[in-house]
């Protein structure tokens, strides 16, 4: 994506306050997790840490912009195939859904798939459901998706050869 920052939508997933105990008391810092996407096949997750909340959000937004990935959207609504992914203690399963079903997902994973541009998808998350891990596992699952055309080009065979199997 080249300089399309104006059309990117951002959602703050989590803001955490972290305390460091020093001789004079506690010093607080903030970490933010932000998801950005254009709802048209591009999505990214970023983390930012700073002494103030707005600065942490700005850093997270910049980080998410730098980590944008492109994802395939089939029939302008769903994913091409079922996929499972794991990140640390979090696991997620993404399944294609029929047109009109909507997004069946919870919190953080819902935000990621909405900003990616999906309108019909089933998801299930297992293990750790921390917001940061959930966002990262959803992104790693979306990274693994392949279209029939992509598979055909990787294997150097025609698309019809893959479809008849």
């Amino acid at each position: 994506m080249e300089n399309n920052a104006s059309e990117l939508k951002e959602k703050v997933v989590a803001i955490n306050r972290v305390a460091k105990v020093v001789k004079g008391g506690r010093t607080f810092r903030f970490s933010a997790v932000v998801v950005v996407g254009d709802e048209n096949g591009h999505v990214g997750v970023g983390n930012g840490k700073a002494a103030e909340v707005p600065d942490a959000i700005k850093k997270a937004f910049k980080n998410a912009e730098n980590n944008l990935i492109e994802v395939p959207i089939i029939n302008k609504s769903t994913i091409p195939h079922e996929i499972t992914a794991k990140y640390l203690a979090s696991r997620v399963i993404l399944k294609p859904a029929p047109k009109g079903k909507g997004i069946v997902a919870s919190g953080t994973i819902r935000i990621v798939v909405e900003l990616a541009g999906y309108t019909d998808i089933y998801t299930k998350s297992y293990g750790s459901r921390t917001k940061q891990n959930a966002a990262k596992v959803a992104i790693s699952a979306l990274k693994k998706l392949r279209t029939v055309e992509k598979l055909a080009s990787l294997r150097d065979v025609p698309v019809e050869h893959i479809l008849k199997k």
Side-chain angles (χ1 to χ4, degrees), residues 39-155:
E39 295 180 343
N40 196 20
H42 297 91
V43 67
V45 173
N47 297 329
K49 298 176 184 177
E52 300 294 327
V53 174
D55 295 337
I57 292 173
K58 276 185 206 151
K59 286 182 180 180
F61 177 75
K62 201 57 140 170
N63 186 252
E65 272 185 322
N66 293 337
N67 294 323
L68 276 178
I69 62 166
E70 192 167 346
V71 295
I73 301 176
I74 302 299
N75 300 330
K76 298 182 181 173
S77 71
T78 192
I79 59 177
H81 56 87
E82 184 177 327
I83 193 81
T84 304
K86 186 176 186 310
Y87 176 80
L88 299 178
S90 297
R91 284 188 358 213
V92 71
I93 296 174
L94 305 178
K95 292 183 181 180
K99 194 122 177 103
K101 185 66 177 178
I103 297 173
V104 181
S106 63
T108 308
I109 296 173
R110 172 181 289 273
I111 291 171
V112 173
V113 296
E114 276 178 355
L115 288 177
Y118 296 111
T119 55
D120 302 300
I121 189 170
Y122 296 121
T123 70
K124 178 65 182 154
S125 59
Y126 299 97
S128 171
R129 287 182 173 85
T130 61
K131 294 183 179 203
Q132 189 168 355
N133 283 359
K136 294 237 176 146
V137 75
I139 288 290
S140 72
L142 292 174
K143 270 186 195 174
K144 290 164 59 173
L145 290 173
R146 302 280 182 260
T147 61
V148 176
E149 293 80 16
K150 177 84 173 165
L151 277 176
S153 68
L154 286 173
R155 296 179 187 173

